[in-house]
Amino acid sequence: MDYDRIILEMLNRISVLEERMSNLETSIQSNSETSQIESSGISKKYRLLADYLYNCNKETIKLSYDEIENILGFKLPNSALVHRAFWANTTTHSIALSWLNVGYETAEVDLKNKYIVFEKKRNYDTRNGEKT
């Protein structure tokens, strides 16, 4: 038997497992920090976008479609690319609840250049989810 090869393979597997555990621990810590966000109405599908906006805590946030897809971990539907209404500030769309419930509104939608500008709602404190 080639014990050196077996030992190296096991060490590589251990290294991969340690990295995965570290990523999992980081993810769990991040999730517990963002669990303070008001969650009523935010779907699991768009929760990562809500968390991102909440943690930015800036007055204005400009995101390209690619950046939004990276945050979400999946491609946006075709309607997001061609219909301004997809980005409307309405409580009838689950994606809109992801920004509305953390105190943001879409301020600008550029379908041609593929970006969205979110602005903090006036008189809204995203840190405690209350209107001031």
Side-chain angles (χ1 to χ4, degrees):
M1 283 196 127
D2 186 5
Y3 291 109
D4 289 338
R5 184 182 57 78
I6 293 171
I7 290 171
L8 284 174
E9 185 178 322
M10 289 177 68
L11 289 172
N12 285 336
R13 288 182 181 185
I14 289 170
S15 176
V16 168
L17 288 173
E18 286 175 339
E19 184 177 339
R20 287 181 180 173
M21 284 299 297
S22 176
N23 290 341
L24 181 59
E25 288 169 350
T26 302
S27 175
I28 289 170
Q29 182 180 8
S30 174
N31 286 342
S32 68
E33 290 172 359
T34 58
S35 66
Q36 300 168 4
I37 300 173
E38 180 184 342
S39 63
S40 74
I42 299 174
S43 72
K44 289 181 182 180
K45 183 175 183 179
Y46 296 113
R47 180 62 186 212
L48 292 174
L49 179 59
D51 291 345
Y52 178 87
L53 293 170
Y54 176 81
N55 288 320
C56 278
N57 197 32
K58 295 179 183 176
E59 291 298 317
T60 302
I61 302 169
K62 179 180 177 180
L63 294 172
S64 70
Y65 288 2
D66 288 339
E67 290 171 316
I68 294 171
E69 289 175 344
N70 285 335
I71 291 165
L72 293 172
F74 59 86
K75 291 276 190 195
L76 289 166
N78 287 337
S79 59
L81 309 176
V82 296
H83 297 295
R84 165 62 176 92
F86 182 89
W87 301 102
N89 295 311
T90 176
T91 57
T92 60
H93 295 155
S94 59
I95 191 169
L97 292 174
S98 68
W99 60 77
L100 292 172
N101 282 348
V102 294
Y104 285 90
E105 295 177 323
T106 52
E108 183 180 349
V109 176
D110 190 325
L111 296 174
K112 181 180 177 185
N113 295 307
K114 299 181 181 179
Y115 70 83
I116 308 298
V117 176
F118 297 98
E119 285 184 356
K120 243 188 216 184
K121 291 188 227 175
R122 296 173 199 250
N123 301 324
Y124 195 91
D125 181 0
T126 60
R127 287 297 169 193
N128 63 19
E130 296 176 356
K131 290 186 179 180
T132 57

